[in-house]
Amino acid sequence: MRVWPGDPYPLGASWTGVGVNFAIFSAHATRVELCLFDRPDATKESERIPLVEQTDMVWHAFLPDARPNQLYGYRVYGPYDPAAGHRFNPNKVVMDPYAKSVARTVRWADEMFGYTVGHPDGDLALDERDNAEFAPLAAVVDPAFTWGDDRPPRTPWHNTVIYEMHVRGFSKLHPALPERLRGTYEALTTEPVLDHLKKLGVTAVELMPVHHHARDRYLEERRLTNYWGYNSFGFFAPERRLAASTSPAGAMREFKRMVRALHAAGLEIILDVVYNHTAEGNHLGPTLSLKGIDNRSYYRLVTDDLRHYMDFTGCGNTLNMQCPQVLQLIMDSLRYWVLEMHVDGFRFDLASALARELFDVDRLAAFFDIIHQDPVLSQVKLIAEPWDLGQGGYQVGNFPVLWTEWNGKYRDTVRKFWRGDTGTVSELATRLSGSNDLYARSGRRPYASINFVTAHDGFTLHDLVSYNEKHNEANLEDNRDGENQNLSWNCGAEGPTDNPEIVALRERQKRNFMTTLLLSQGVPMISHGDELGRTQRGNNNAYCQDNEMSWIAWNLDADRRALLSFTSKLIHFRLSQPALRRRRYFQGRSIRGGEVKDVAWLAPDGREMTDGLWNADSVHSLGMLLNGNAIEEVDERGNPVVGDTLLVLLNGHSDPVQFRLPPLDEKHQWRRVIDTFDGAVVGERNFKAGSTLPLQGRSIAVFRVTPPLRDRRRATEFEHAAASASGVLVPVEA
């Protein structure tokens, strides 16, 4: 094999068309060897090539005879001195952190640990056994792909509806798909899947981690697995186990086909990414990649105890954001997924950990500074999970401009209100109107709030209304894992029941949660399968359950079909109403020329809420009046944005509450368009302004002002569009 000096940039293995350039960073290594393997089941490398060239701490070489699909790894020499932060062990083949494809994932054995497992000295005892038979291997790829006219949808934030999805769990049981495609990227290119997403009305799919990850050894020993994938160690490589293809580069091409198909359907792709830690764990974890390449550079170590790791994630380690090369690794990965894989944005897991330059979370950390000045990354969607497990890690509302955040306070407030907790209406109003208390002071808009009621972590929507307690016994941790404070309510029975009253109440509560979510200012996020009544049988931490507990069941009964239809119509209703998708916060003030306000908060008697009512524990009902003529925004062509005037009535009481409808001029009436009590979403009747109607217990009713009779036909266009999306026909009014 001929070896030329090569170049220190770009890092990783780069096919140039005439050979492959290999480059790897290590500041503290004394020697680096490139190891070439002939096939995935090889027990040792076929060739070792010393990288004699070193430029600015990057070891590199060019192999003119290497080709795509070449399997490789590295052996990195240096001191094995955990007390000084060094864990070099050339007996261990380690994976390139810039690997674009993983040809073989880790095979668990004691040889995969840099120290001798079971030794009295623990991780201080060097393990001299070779791990080549078990080590993960990278593959050289040819990135060529025909994108055609693919282009990002670039859906504005205020028009975005996110669908959080696990690639495998979404389609694994889909009966309309061939068995070989179920649970794969390829499944998301098929007509049945695209039809579901388009009819549902969502505008973006947020894919749970697709970076290559480890299946934790302790889980495999229990016959479980890391199903969610929040344990990455390949920040450039699509997870091969989510691909239908079996070739090393097949997962990359299949992922690109998926992106191209979703874009063609008008859907954006947001990746849930985990850059806060890796699968190598703490000082007793395995040596897979970074730990054996340059442990002291890549990881945050305890300042006065370099043997141990700073752990802000609960996963054993934290990447060292103080190191320029770690920042480069993350930024190169992000740019790769945008420029090469065409994704539209990122959701950053435990994002507070990325902001820790020293110990405290730093709002102006280098990570944010770099993203803000980057011409590529500053233009895509950026979502933070604004907390980690360290002290001071809960940072909801504290991220800078350009960033949106998972709004945990929104989730908790909405859950409390519909559970019947006292003293919640004041904060509920704040959450409904975009959480300006959290985001306005930093110059951000309502769409900085990613609103959600459920997500992958926690109860599904069905379980939220069916269980008071978590039931995680299947995780084999004696039900100790998972959140204990779920703010859930089982509606009168724990788990499945045949009681028709409880079943009806649960279905109504699901509609209440969905309606609240989709009528709130901000960006709604739906967890996959919630529109279908998916259950995990009370498990609120199903991270290790790659089975029917986590997969969506597509055999729908009447209730589940009704919930799907209701959710689809709700989303289409939201997207038709400018008053629900504001780009600026409500002013709640008088508009020139009259006493009209952009928003008014109403008590059941039709009067505006008073301080006494806002603070009363006994108040569980609220009206929200949105003036469609007072939005005070312009569209992309400078035209004023106007829409329907909407009235949203929420009753968290168990009993009916009499609500008086606000006055209108004599030409207009209130038309009920949504009623969660019976599941109606298209308007079925009009009500006179000033009249009183009973709002049923634990329900929401939504009204809009009907136009004069001559414009009535135009006003029914949405009702037909929403109905046709679910196959329901609505008669045209005369």
Side-chain angles (χ1 to χ4, degrees), residues 103 118 193 250 278 338 368 432 570 686:
V193 169
T278 76
V338 174
F368 300 125
L432 288 171
L570 266 178
N686 290 348

Side-chain angles (χ1 to χ4, degrees), residues 142-153 189 238 251-264 267 269 271 335-344:
D142 180 351
F145 182 77
T146 303
W147 283 103
D149 61 353
D150 178 74
R151 63 190 62 189
T189 71
M252 181 186 70
R253 290 192 293 268
E254 191 173 320
F255 187 94
K256 290 180 177 180
R257 288 196 297 271
M258 175 195 70
V259 171
R260 186 176 61 190
L262 290 170
H263 279 177
L267 294 161
I269 300 91
L271 299 189
R335 279 190 289 265
Y336 175 81
W337 287 96
V338 174
L339 297 176
E340 182 64 35
M341 308 297 266
H342 287 206
V343 305
D344 304 287

